[in-house]
Amino acid sequence: MRRSYLVLACSLILYANATKLHYAPSAEWPRVVKKDGSCPPVWTQVKAELNTLFMTGNQCNDLARAAIHATFHDCGSWDTTQKLTGGCDGSLVLGVTPDVELARSENKGLEAIAGKIKDLATKYGTSVADMVVFAGSAAIVLCPGGPKIQTFIGRKDSTTSAPSGGLPDVFDSASNLFNLFAKKGFSAQDLAALLGAHSTSTQKFVDPAQANKSQDSTPGQWDVTYYKETYSFATGGKKDPGVFVFASDSKLATSNEVGLEFQGFIGNQGRWAGSFASAMERMVLFGNDKSEMVDCNSALG
């Protein structure tokens, strides 16, 4: 009889441990997804909190803009030579080897959103890498006019910082920027579409004297005003005094490599939204195997 009780007790312990492994937060959490392949319900809870964090009235706010920015900087340093390493791995927030990635000059200003993402990952028991991407996707869809980005969950965190030189420089030439994005697998249309994320951005450190100026006159909305205003500036037109145009954007708007694609988005919200979503859906999978992940698009609402 004692032996039977002992066997039963051991079985209950094993079952409890298995259940804990399946649901409890841990470094391996992203791999231990729901066995039926459905999105873990925690992401619906995350989205509900992001709804309150990212909106001010009916406009997306600075924190939402920072979340989009963070996704580009965590995922976008990757290129095709890295295959299933690097990319969207949370290193923007966690990377300390061989240097602290967040401390690099190109990541200046992302400290606050990085801290918020880390706190949310801890609170909800997710990987930081997944939280970076999900927060960015949530911010995009919450900005009025923003498309829904197909978002998968199942990334592992890494403390290995992304290789330097993988992110665009706002003072670089159009040809260098085109080549940089080509190494990531992006076409001219992809690059032109991704630039449209500046529709909701503001700058603080490119020119501190003009800190907080936006890259178009409607930074709270996801629209194609950016394309019209940037092209107008690049071709000698008038510029809204509250708008700051990046030198790289101005160059690309009229470049041989990207100019026609860039100009093709002027006044064409639907074309841009579709092109952006297509390119972004590939970016947020950089360094990861989609077949080992679960679709959490439903959690974005």
Side-chain angles (χ1 to χ4, degrees):
M1 181 67 72
R2 288 181 180 176
R3 180 178 177 82
S4 297
Y5 281 126
L6 180 60
V7 171
L8 177 60
C10 289
S11 297
L12 289 172
I13 291 170
L14 287 171
Y15 177 79
N17 286 339
T19 303
K20 185 181 293 185
L21 176 64
H22 189 66
Y23 292 105
S26 74
E28 291 297 311
W29 186 90
R31 294 287 179 177
V32 190
V33 294
K34 293 191 75 177
K35 290 181 179 179
D36 62 4
S38 61
C39 181
V42 67
W43 291 103
T44 301
Q45 300 170 36
V46 172
K47 175 58 164 51
E49 181 161 351
L50 294 178
N51 290 349
T52 64
L53 291 175
F54 288 167
M55 297 296 288
T56 301
N58 63 351
Q59 303 282 303
C60 53
N61 58 28
D62 282 346
L63 200 60
R65 285 186 271 277
I68 298 168
H69 193 180
T71 302
F72 273 87
H73 280 228
D74 192 41
C75 300
S77 58
W78 181 92
D79 66 44
T80 56
T81 66
Q82 293 177 253
K83 299 181 180 179
L84 293 179
T85 61
C88 310
D89 61 2
S91 65
L92 173 69
V93 179
L94 303 172
V96 293
T97 305
D99 62 339
V100 177
E101 187 172 339
L102 190 61
R104 295 175 182 171
S105 59
E106 63 264 30
N107 295 324
K108 193 172 184 181
L110 291 174
E111 298 86 354
I113 189 63
K116 176 61 67 176
I117 285 169
K118 191 173 183 179
D119 289 345
L120 287 169
T122 299
K123 177 179 179 179
Y124 290 102
T126 75
S127 72
V128 169
D130 277 336
M131 189 61 72
V132 169
V133 168
F134 190 86
S137 294
I140 290 169
V141 80
L142 284 168
C143 287
K148 183 183 286 188
I149 307 302
Q150 189 78 25
T151 300
F152 289 82
I153 295 300
R155 297 166 187 80
K156 278 189 173 181
D157 287 334
S158 175
T159 57
T160 300
S161 296
S164 60
L167 294 172
D169 186 319
V170 296
F171 298 108
D172 211 344
S173 68
S175 59
N176 284 348
L177 291 167
F178 174 74
N179 290 331
L180 178 70
F181 276 76
K183 291 176 181 176
K184 304 177 193 300
F186 287 132
S187 67
Q189 181 177 329
D190 293 330
L191 173 52
L194 289 169
L195 286 170
H198 289 163
S199 166
T200 63
S201 70
T202 58
Q203 77 86 30
K204 291 180 173 61
F205 305 107
V206 175
D207 183 355
Q210 301 186 67
N212 298 315
K213 283 191 175 182
S214 56
Q215 276 58 78
D216 78 7
S217 57
T218 57
Q221 299 177 38
W222 194 266
D223 60 25
V224 290
T225 303
Y226 159 82
Y227 289 98
K228 178 182 178 181
E229 293 180 348
T230 302
Y231 180 70
S232 176
F233 173 79
T235 54
K238 292 183 179 180
K239 180 174 73 70
D240 186 311
V243 172
F244 182 93
V245 177
F246 290 136
S248 55
D249 290 9
S250 180
K251 294 171 187 175
L252 286 164
T254 56
S255 70
N256 291 331
E257 298 90 348
V258 182
L260 288 178
E261 296 291 350
F262 189 101
Q263 295 156 36
F265 293 130
I266 296 174
N268 198 332
Q269 177 82 12
R271 182 172 184 267
W272 171 53
S275 296
F276 179 87
S278 174
M280 197 66 182
E281 284 163 11
R282 281 175 276 143
M283 181 182 285
V284 296
L285 289 171
F286 281 173
N288 291 275
D289 185 349
K290 180 179 174 180
S291 69
E292 296 184 2
M293 307 171 82
V294 295
D295 185 347
C296 275
N297 218 40
S298 59
L300 290 171

